[in-house]
Structure formats: structure tokens, C-alpha cells
Amino acid sequence: MTTRIYLDHAATTPILPQAAAAVAEGMACWANPSSPHAEGRVARRMLEDARGRIAKSLGWDGEVILTSGASEALAIGLGRAKRTRRLVSAVEHDAVFRAAPGADVLPIIEGEPDEDALAQYLAAGPPPVVAVQAINSETGTMLLAHARNSAIAMVRDAGGLVLVDASQAAGKYGLADADMIVVSAHKLGGPPGIGALLLHDYAMVAPDGGQESGYRGGTENLPGVLGFAAALEAGGLDSWATTVEERFRFKDRLYEAGEVIQPGVQCSHIFAVAHAALPAAAQLIRLDAMGFAVSAGSACSSGTLKRSRALAAFGIPGEVADRTIRVSLGWSTTADELARFADAYAGLAQR
């Protein structure tokens, strides 16, 4: 194989040309947006214009706190929300658990939040913050596909707040009707190092001084913000090089050679598949040597030897999880690349 094929877009996706051009534009405007002089005011206008474009592209009519990425947005939302208890779904990204150490854990049943367990938790104490991701980064499960209205309504009726980590969904699917939403630019074709916490009202979280209306300290990343806005405006799934039908046909080809890992409703760009015989580490080594970049889970944990906490919470047996890899698609993925990978995966055991 003369050219490599990248299928690890859930970890990060290549920057879109429109976003790269916008970053370059921001680099040319080097003034600090918080400075009062003319140069600073120009930078501030560009920053606020991009903030509005981000909100508009996402269909968000609340506040936008610009952050260094999803992890910082989670730290603000979960760490400073004005509620005394924290409840997070069992399949959340590690960054959620770091942002809410000691949080109670909400079980997952058939790919969705356990509403009976949620009701019991809500009845047992003061109103909490409840974190449920939109799309799981290891399996592509859409956790709120069916429960988004009832689960969110349950929390709100109890006086709680709902935080949705939309890192894998924003720019691809519509946002959940949550109180706080986390977005990461490098997952949707924007630059790394920029993200946002969307919230309906600043009063939901406690300020701690600094920029971003006092909710996030640090000089604003103008080039990143401009690239973020441009990536969103470049288009979602409809602008990708593959169609939904082509992506699901690819999934079917994978599952002809492996075991389905599909708890709940499946998105069209992240697939988990367990090989019949080879452990995940052996698959990654062979595929990498053949020119394919895939992973065995989220980028923050795939370098460890631990079994996936998320797969276990979805009810996937350990020996199946040990043979599971993740194949994730992006805006630049072509149908030919999918066909070549499917052929390689089908013959992997013979290599």
C-alpha cells in the first residue's frame, strides 16, 4: 500500500481547508482581544463574531464559553455547576470522571440511561448535575436517541441540570435539549486546542474570574476560535465524501468478518467490531503495518493495557472486548478507502 488510510477520526479528524484558512487569518491578527487599544478591539470584534457564528451553526441560543477543548469545558460544567451532587453515566469518557471525581454512576441498559435507576437517584437527595454523552466514542452508540426527552425531563423536573458531552456528535447531529453541552473543534474538522461549553444561563455555574465573562481565565485563542467557526460552517455529515448508506454498508461488511458490538442505536461514523480470533493489540499492529490507522478505544486510554470500562458498562464480555477495535470515519473518508479496509479486515487472520 503506497498511501495510508486514516480511520481514527473519533480521536481527531484532519482539519478542514476552510478551517485551516481561518486559523491563518487569525494568526495575522495577533493582538490580545482583551486589550483596549484599536488592535485589541479589532481582535475582540473578530472573536465575538466567531462566537456568534459557532452558536448559530450549532443552533444554540444560549451562552458560549470558549475553552481549550472538551476536557476544560467538562471541568467548568461539572466542577462549578451550582448543584451539590454529580451523576455520570457509566460509559462516559475518562475526562468526565476526572472532572467529577467521586461522582455517582448511572447504569446503562441496552445502550440508554437506566431510567429506573435515575428516578431512584433523583428521589434520594438534592437536585444533581447529570452527565450523559450524546455518542459513545468507543461504540458509536447514541445514548439519547430514544431517552433524550424523558431522561432529560426527569432531571429537570427534579430541579437538576443535564450536561451532554457532544464531542462526537456536534457538527454531525443536532444537539440534545440539555442545560449544558460540551463541544470539541478537532472532532469536527476544526483545529485542536479549542472547544466550548454551551449553557443556557451563566448562573448555572460559579465564575472564578478572568476572561470569558469571568468563567474561564486565559487569553482567548482567536485563531482557534475562527477555525472552529469555519469548520462548523463548512457543513456536517451531508458534506462528507461518503453517504450514510455507504457508511452502513461498510459496517455490514465489517460484521461479516467479525462480531457485532452495537449496544443500542448506532451512529453512522463510529463502529466497534470484535475479531473472531485476534486480540485487539495484534490487529492494530497488523493493520498499521498494512497502512491503516485505527484504534482499540478512546485516544486517552487506548495506549494502556486496561480493559475498556465503557465496553464493560455496555455489557460486553471481557474476552470479546479484548478482541474489539474501533473504526471511525470522517469528512475526508472515501468509499474506496472503506472498501480497501473491509478487504484487509476480512483477511486479517491469514497474515
Side-chain angles (χ1 to χ4, degrees):
M1 180 174 291
T2 57
T3 58
R4 290 184 59 82
I5 293 177
Y6 182 77
L7 295 171
D8 194 21
H9 292 263
T12 196
T13 198
I15 190 167
L16 284 155
Q18 299 93 322
V23 170
E25 177 189 1
M27 289 291 186
C29 184
W30 44 262
N32 191 320
S34 296
S35 296
H37 47 61
E39 290 82 356
R41 295 196 301 274
V42 169
R44 171 58 60 182
R45 284 194 296 272
M46 294 173 67
L47 182 80
E48 295 307 326
D49 176 70
R51 189 195 307 275
R53 290 160 54 203
I54 290 168
K56 181 179 180 181
S57 295
L58 291 170
W60 186 255
D61 60 2
E63 307 295 345
V64 178
I65 297 175
L66 299 167
T67 68
S68 62
S71 293
E72 185 185 17
L74 288 165
I76 295 172
L78 287 170
R80 292 198 258 132
K82 295 178 181 178
R83 295 295 186 272
T84 58
R85 295 193 300 164
R86 303 289 185 269
L87 178 67
V88 304
S89 92
V91 298
E92 296 300 304
H93 193 279
D94 286 347
V96 171
F97 286 88
R98 289 194 297 268
D104 296 299
V105 178
L106 175 64
I108 298 297
I109 294 181
E110 297 181 351
E112 296 187 352
D114 183 339
E115 293 192 7
D116 290 336
L118 176 60
Q120 293 175 18
Y121 184 84
L122 294 172
V129 177
V130 179
V132 180
Q133 61 192 187
I135 296 176
N136 182 262
S137 63
E138 296 186 43
T139 65
T141 301
M142 303 177 74
L143 275 81
L144 297 173
H146 293 144
R148 62 185 298 169
N149 294 323
S150 55
I152 290 172
M154 288 169 63
V155 177
R156 286 181 171 159
D157 289 346
L161 300 174
V162 178
L163 180 148
V164 169
D165 179 0
S167 297
Q168 300 294 346
K172 305 176 184 76
Y173 296 89
L175 298 181
D177 181 23
D179 302 292
M180 295 183 284
I181 295 179
V182 168
V183 183
S184 177
H186 76 101
K187 305 290 190 181
L188 51 84
I194 187 70
L197 174 65
L198 315 180
L199 66 170
H200 281 301
D201 192 331
Y202 282 132
M204 293 176 177
V205 297
D208 68 349
Q211 287 84 349
E212 291 300 292
S213 299
Y215 288 87
R216 190 261 175 180
T219 300
E220 295 92 340
N221 177 3
L222 180 59
V225 176
L226 294 177
F228 189 179
L232 285 168
E233 291 171 343
L237 288 172
D238 291 341
S239 68
W240 284 21
T242 55
T243 65
V244 173
E245 292 75 17
E246 287 172 329
R247 295 193 290 274
F248 277 121
R249 282 200 297 271
F250 167 71
K251 178 200 73 171
D252 292 339
R253 282 206 62 193
L254 285 184
Y255 293 157
E256 290 172 1
E259 184 173 344
V260 174
I261 306 296
Q262 187 174 321
V265 178
Q266 179 78 48
C267 74
S268 70
H269 63 286
I270 300 174
F271 305 118
V273 58
H275 196 274
L278 293 175
Q283 295 177 63
L284 298 186
I285 291 170
R286 295 187 188 191
L287 288 167
D288 190 46
M290 295 164 66
F292 298 100
V294 295
S295 70
S298 68
C300 296
S301 61
S302 60
T304 72
L305 297 178
K306 296 179 181 178
R307 278 182 172 168
S308 166
R309 171 181 45 75
L311 291 183
F314 276 125
I316 308 302
E319 62 89 15
V320 176
D322 290 345
R323 294 183 277 109
T324 298
I325 63 170
R326 177 186 71 184
V327 184
S328 51
L329 289 49
W331 64 269
S332 60
T333 307
T334 66
D336 177 67
E337 289 175 335
L338 296 183
R340 289 164 67 182
F341 181 86
D343 289 342
Y345 184 78
L348 198 58
Q350 282 71 51
R351 294 187 64 87

